[in-house]
């Protein structure tokens, strides 16, 4: 089994800057809206993808998140960081998307739709296999642990902000992350035969 190579960290705007842009956007500053969206778009896309959205619907969910946020920006008061506020909106968008999709039947003209969908996925991208392994390991985690792990370890949110996004105490987030790490290390060890 190969190890997952993470991309080099990108320079992220400071939380204060993002929150200031959100507050300025609330007042009608179009440049602030653009900066706000650009700064948080990658995090929102990663978050909705790891919450269970398939890659095809992740773009739609990210767009829905920003539409919801921009339409309710007048209610944002800056009591939490704009990132925390936006990821809470993204979480609700994913939940609403799951509810919507579960109520609609999916039709396929192919006899074996799962195989057709699998063949349609790109295979020759760098790091594709590692990404698949990571996604499979994360999918094996209980949803609450996966969410806490993704928020803190992959999106880099402080535990306090992850607690605000998930609506649970900070100690619970710490516990979920610790248990997720133990499970992931154990599964990787079993896969490598060590």
């Amino acid at each position: 089994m190969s190890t997952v190579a993470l991309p080099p960290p990108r320079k992220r705007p400071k939380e204060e800057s993002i929150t200031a842009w959100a507050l300025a956007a609330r007042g009608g500053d179009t440049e602030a809206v653009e900066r706000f969206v650009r700064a948080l778009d990658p995090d929102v896309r990663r978050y909705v993808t790891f919450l269970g959205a398939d890659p095809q619907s992740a773009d739609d969910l990210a767009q829905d998140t920003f539409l919801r946020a921009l339409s309710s920006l007048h209610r944002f008061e800056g009591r939490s960081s704009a990132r925390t506020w936006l990821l809470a909106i993204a979480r609700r968008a994913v939940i609403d998307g799951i509810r919507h999709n579960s109520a609609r039947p999916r039709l396929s003209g192919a006899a074996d739709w799962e195989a057709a969908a699998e063949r349609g996925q790109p295979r020759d991208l760098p790091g594709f296999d590692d990404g698949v392994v990571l996604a499979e390991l994360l999918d094996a985690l209980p949803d609450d642990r996966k969410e806490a792990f993704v928020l803190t370890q992959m999106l880099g949110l402080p535990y306090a902000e992850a607690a605000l996004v998930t609506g649970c105490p900070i100690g619970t987030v710490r516990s979920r992350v610790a248990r997720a790490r133990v499970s992931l290390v154990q599964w990787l060890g079993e896969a490598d035969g060590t």
Side-chain angles (χ1 to χ4, degrees):
M1 168 169 261
S2 59
T3 59
V4 177
L6 297 175
R10 59 185 169 86
K11 186 174 179 175
R12 296 169 63 159
K14 294 186 179 194
E15 292 300 318
E16 300 82 28
S17 297
I18 295 171
T19 301
W21 292 332
L23 291 170
R26 181 179 76 170
D29 183 344
T30 56
E31 185 177 331
V33 170
E34 188 175 329
R35 287 182 177 186
F36 171 71
V37 171
R38 266 199 211 141
L40 293 178
D41 184 62
D43 288 346
V44 169
R45 288 179 190 280
R46 262 196 311 265
Y47 186 53
V48 298
T49 301
F50 280 105
L51 280 180
D54 59 24
Q56 290 79 14
S57 67
D59 287 339
D60 292 338
L61 286 169
Q63 184 177 16
D64 183 38
T65 297
F66 282 106
L67 287 173
R68 289 179 184 203
L70 294 175
S71 68
S72 63
L73 199 54
H74 63 280
R75 291 188 300 241
F76 177 67
E77 297 175 0
R79 288 182 289 200
S80 66
S81 76
R83 182 186 312 270
T84 302
W85 176 74
L86 188 64
L87 291 177
I89 292 171
R91 184 175 196 250
R92 287 189 299 274
V94 169
I95 291 168
D96 291 347
I98 290 169
R99 286 181 183 149
H100 176 74
N101 289 338
S102 67
R104 292 180 30 190
R106 293 189 174 239
L107 303 175
S108 172
D112 185 6
W113 64 270
E114 289 177 320
E118 193 65 31
R119 284 191 303 273
Q121 297 298 317
R123 296 273 183 219
D124 54 350
L125 300 175
F128 178 80
D129 292 334
D130 293 338
V132 169
V133 169
L134 177 61
E136 287 174 354
L137 289 175
L138 287 172
D139 281 342
L141 289 172
D143 289 341
D144 56 347
R145 292 181 190 173
K146 177 171 78 169
E147 181 178 29
F149 185 84
V150 168
L151 283 170
T152 59
Q153 307 305 300
M154 299 179 81
L155 296 180
L157 251 59
Y159 286 96
E161 289 190 29
L164 287 172
V165 169
T166 58
C168 65
I170 190 171
T172 303
V173 172
R174 291 182 194 275
S175 173
R176 289 175 180 173
V177 171
R179 289 180 180 170
R181 284 182 184 150
V182 168
S183 296
L184 291 172
V185 168
Q186 178 185 352
W187 295 334
L188 284 171
E190 290 170 1
D192 287 340
T194 57

